[in-house]
Amino acid sequence: MAKTKMDESNPISSPMVGGCKLTKFGSEDFPDPTLHRSIFGALQYATITRPEISFSVNKVCQFMSEPSEQHWLAAKRILRYLISTVSWGLHFQSASLRHPFPLHAYYDADWVSDPDDRRSTSGAAIFLGPELISWWSKKQSVVARSSTEAEYRSMALIAAEVTCIQSLLSELQVAYTTPIILCDNTSTVSLAHNPVLHSRAKHMELDLFFVREKVLTKQLNVVHVPAMDQLADILTKALSPSFLSFRSNPSSE
C-alpha cells in the first residue's frame, strides 16, 4: 500500500464495480507502466489466500503489457477493498478421517464477456468437505459460439482438475465420496447425461466425451444448482449486490 501511497485511502466493500467491462481502448496510457506491473504482480500473490478477488485480479492483469488509466483505477479499487478486509483469509478446520470426505465443485462461465476478443471467462471452486482447496478464474482460449459451449468447456476443465484431486487422494489413502459438479446451466447438465452427440455440439466433441465417460462410469456426478447458490459466479464476473453473500459462503472470513 505504501508504494501506491494509499495507506489512508477510504475502504470499499467490493473489489470491482458490478458489471464492469475493462477494455484496452478508450483510455489514456498509464504514465508509469513499471509501477503498474509491480502492483499487479503483487496482487496475484494476494489471490493465494483471497479467492474472492481472483476475478478482479485476473481481469486487470490481462492489460499488463499496455496499462491505461482505466486499468489503474480498477487496480486501486482492489487495493481499497483489501484495506477494508485486511483481516480476511482462508480458514481451515480439522476434520475426522472416520468418514469419507465429500468432494464437490462449483463452476461457471460468463459467455463472451471480454469486449475486445469476445472470449468467455471460466471460474471454478473445489471443496473437500467444508474446505475450499482449489479455485481459479481465467479467460477461455477460444471463442465459444453459445453459452452452453462456454459452460461445457468450463465443465471439462473442472472435471480434469477433480480427476487429478481424486488421484492424489487415492495415493494418500484418503477416503472421499463420488465427486459432484454443480452447474447452473440446465442445457449443460443435460448434455453431460445425454449419450447422443447432437450435430450442434460436434465442435466440442472431445470435451463432451471426456465428461460423459466420467459420468457414465460414476467417477463424478453433474447436478444442477440454482443461480443464487452458484458460488463460482464470484469468479466469472464483477458482482455488486450479491458479492457479499457469495464472499461469506466459502471458508474465507
Side-chain angles (χ1 to χ4, degrees):
M1 301 300 177
K3 184 182 293 187
T4 57
K5 300 179 181 179
M6 293 182 60
D7 303 75
E8 304 298 327
S9 59
N10 294 326
I12 203 162
S13 61
S14 63
M16 185 171 280
V17 178
C20 176
K21 300 285 187 181
L22 295 179
T23 176
K24 63 177 68 173
F25 306 107
S27 182
E28 295 182 0
D29 293 342
F30 186 65
D32 190 353
T34 302
L35 173 64
H36 187 282
R37 296 181 186 117
S38 174
I39 297 302
F40 283 11
L43 285 173
Q44 290 185 31
Y45 284 101
T47 62
I48 296 174
T49 56
R50 301 296 299 273
E52 81 275 18
I53 66 170
S54 295
F55 169 77
S56 305
V57 173
N58 173 266
K59 184 55 65 174
V60 296
C61 286
Q62 293 176 19
F63 305 97
M64 292 181 70
S65 60
E66 297 180 8
S68 70
E69 291 288 352
Q70 177 194 27
H71 308 141
W72 179 243
L73 289 175
K76 288 174 67 176
R77 184 181 176 94
I78 299 174
L79 293 174
R80 290 175 61 193
Y81 169 75
L82 291 175
I83 290 173
S84 66
T85 58
V86 67
S87 63
W88 279 63
L90 285 176
H91 289 234
F92 295 99
Q93 303 173 357
S94 60
S96 173
L97 294 175
R98 296 179 181 177
H99 305 287
F101 285 99
L103 180 61
H104 61 285
Y106 295 85
Y107 85 91
D108 196 20
D110 190 18
W111 184 42
V112 296
S113 57
D114 193 305
D116 295 328
D117 57 18
R118 311 313 294 173
R119 294 184 182 181
S120 307
T121 299
S122 297
I126 303 176
F127 290 81
L128 182 62
E131 318 296 351
L132 180 64
I133 60 171
S134 180
W135 63 91
W136 41 260
S137 176
K138 62 179 70 174
K139 185 162 67 171
Q140 294 187 1
S141 58
V142 296
V143 178
R145 289 184 281 179
S146 68
S147 59
T148 300
E149 179 183 347
E151 294 272 357
Y152 212 94
R153 292 192 185 282
S154 295
M155 182 188 290
L157 288 174
I158 196 66
E161 186 158 350
V162 166
T163 300
C164 291
I165 293 175
Q166 286 178 283
S167 177
L168 176 60
L169 292 175
S170 297
E171 288 184 14
L172 297 175
Q173 298 183 357
V174 175
Y176 59 90
T177 60
T178 301
I180 298 176
I181 295 180
L182 299 117
C183 169
D184 61 2
N185 186 297
T186 54
S187 298
T188 308
V189 174
S190 299
L191 276 174
H193 292 88
N194 186 355
V196 178
L197 180 65
H198 297 283
S199 58
R200 63 182 181 180
K202 285 187 176 180
H203 55 288
M204 52 181 181
E205 183 175 346
L206 182 61
D207 290 337
L208 281 169
F209 280 108
F210 174 72
V211 174
R212 283 179 184 169
E213 182 182 77
K214 300 292 183 183
V215 173
L216 288 174
T217 57
K218 302 194 181 302
Q219 296 181 56
L220 57 82
N221 191 18
V222 178
V223 300
H224 179 261
V225 63
M228 65 180 66
D229 297 324
Q230 176 54 275
L231 299 185
D233 206 26
I234 199 174
L235 300 170
T236 61
K237 58 182 71 69
L239 302 175
S240 186
S242 56
F243 175 80
L244 296 180
S245 61
F246 280 129
R247 182 189 67 178
S248 300
N249 215 316
S251 55
S252 58
E253 55 183 29

